[in-house]
Amino acid sequence: QVQLVESGGGSVQAGGSLRLSCAASGYTYSSYCMGWFRQAPGKEREGVVYIGSDGITRYADSVKGRFTISQDNAKNTLYLQMNSLKPEDTAMYYCAAAYGFPVKCPGGMQYWGKGTLVTISS
């Protein structure tokens, strides 16, 4: 079983920055796909960015150039640096992962964190 715990959410003004963290624990494989998702009130959950074990990243058009995904494998931690935040970035942000060989990325996620809330004021 894999546990994912997000942190780093908060309230900032438009134009500000936040860095989200996702700590993974439990049994993990070297082949994986991890990602950040978000769900705004009244909207469907959407994928923000994915990263595979090959290091390839895929960003949603809405965050390209503003958000950056990174990882510290030694700490089993995934990060999301969010800059130039906009009110429309307000959402609950979730970390998710899929493990196995092979694993499609992006693809269906097996494990989800409980989320961290990001609120951007204008």
Side-chain angles (χ1 to χ4, degrees):
Q1 193 72 6
V2 175
Q3 294 80 41
L4 302 173
V5 180
E6 304 95 336
S7 61
S11 298
V12 298
Q13 290 189 327
S17 299
L18 284 172
R19 188 176 82 153
L20 306 183
S21 299
C22 172
S25 60
Y27 189 77
T28 60
Y29 293 90
S30 58
S31 175
Y32 60 83
C33 178
M34 296 193 74
W36 288 97
F37 294 74
R38 66 186 181 185
Q39 187 167 21
K43 295 188 177 181
E44 293 187 354
R45 185 175 62 197
E46 63 173 345
V48 175
V49 58
Y50 298 83
I51 185 167
S53 49
D54 55 5
I56 294 176
T57 58
R58 292 171 176 82
Y59 290 87
D61 289 342
S62 59
V63 305
K64 282 181 181 177
R66 300 189 299 121
F67 290 13
T68 303
I69 192 170
S70 62
Q71 54 190 348
D72 185 333
N73 290 331
K75 296 181 179 180
N76 285 335
T77 301
L78 187 72
Y79 302 99
L80 181 65
Q81 178 66 45
M82 306 186 295
N83 298 328
S84 301
L85 284 161
K86 304 176 182 180
E88 51 263 44
D89 294 318
T90 294
M92 184 71 80
Y93 283 71
Y94 299 91
C95 173
Y99 299 93
F101 186 83
V103 60
K104 186 178 179 181
C105 193
M109 295 303 195
Q110 300 167 311
Y111 303 100
W112 293 84
K114 294 184 178 181
T116 186
L117 182 63
V118 171
T119 304
I120 311 302
S121 58
S122 57

